[in-house]
């Protein structure tokens, strides 16, 4: 993880938006809604200006790592074989 905030212009119900939300790693705006994008940019700028940018949770981000996911899949396969 780069430990930088993300401005995600995605469908708010998409898996990418859920990941940004789960990891507290950034700001989400509907790519098809200009007011939503403006609001997210204003919030990001305000947070940056006040040294309050969203920082991703390292614990949650670690759970998204390949090694963790492969281990999780392997455990599931062993249990369900």
């Amino acid at each position: 993880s780069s430990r930088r905030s993300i401005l995600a212009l995605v469908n708010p119900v998409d898996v990418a938006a859920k990941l940004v939300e789960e990891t507290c790693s950034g700001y989400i705006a509907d790519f098809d809604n200009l007011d939503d994008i403006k609001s997210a940019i204003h919030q990001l700028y305000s947070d940056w200006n006040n040294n309050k940018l969203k920082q991703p949770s390292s614990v949650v981000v670690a759970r998204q790592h390949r090694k963790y996911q492969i281990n999780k899949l392997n455990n599931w396969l062993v249990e369900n074989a």
Side-chain angles (χ1 to χ4, degrees):
S1 166
S2 68
R3 310 272 310 148
R4 294 184 182 171
S5 293
I6 296 169
L7 175 57
L9 304 180
V10 297
N11 183 326
V13 297
D14 187 74
V15 67
K18 290 178 184 174
L19 185 59
V20 170
E21 192 172 277
E22 277 180 22
T23 59
C24 299
S25 58
Y27 306 81
I28 303 163
D30 188 337
F31 65 90
D32 214 18
N33 183 328
L34 188 56
D35 289 333
D36 206 21
I37 294 169
K38 286 179 184 178
S39 177
I41 291 171
H42 284 289
Q43 184 63 54
L44 192 151
Y45 177 77
S46 174
D47 288 354
W48 171 79
N49 200 37
N50 294 305
N51 276 334
K52 293 183 179 183
L53 281 174
K54 294 182 179 182
Q55 292 293 313
S57 163
S58 56
V59 173
V60 178
V61 170
R63 282 189 256 154
Q64 304 306 319
H65 194 277
R66 231 180 339 259
K67 289 179 185 179
Y68 179 85
Q69 292 298 318
I70 289 171
N71 191 36
K72 188 175 169 181
L73 174 61
N74 184 53
N75 290 342
W76 183 86
L77 289 171
V78 168
E79 292 172 5
N80 294 289

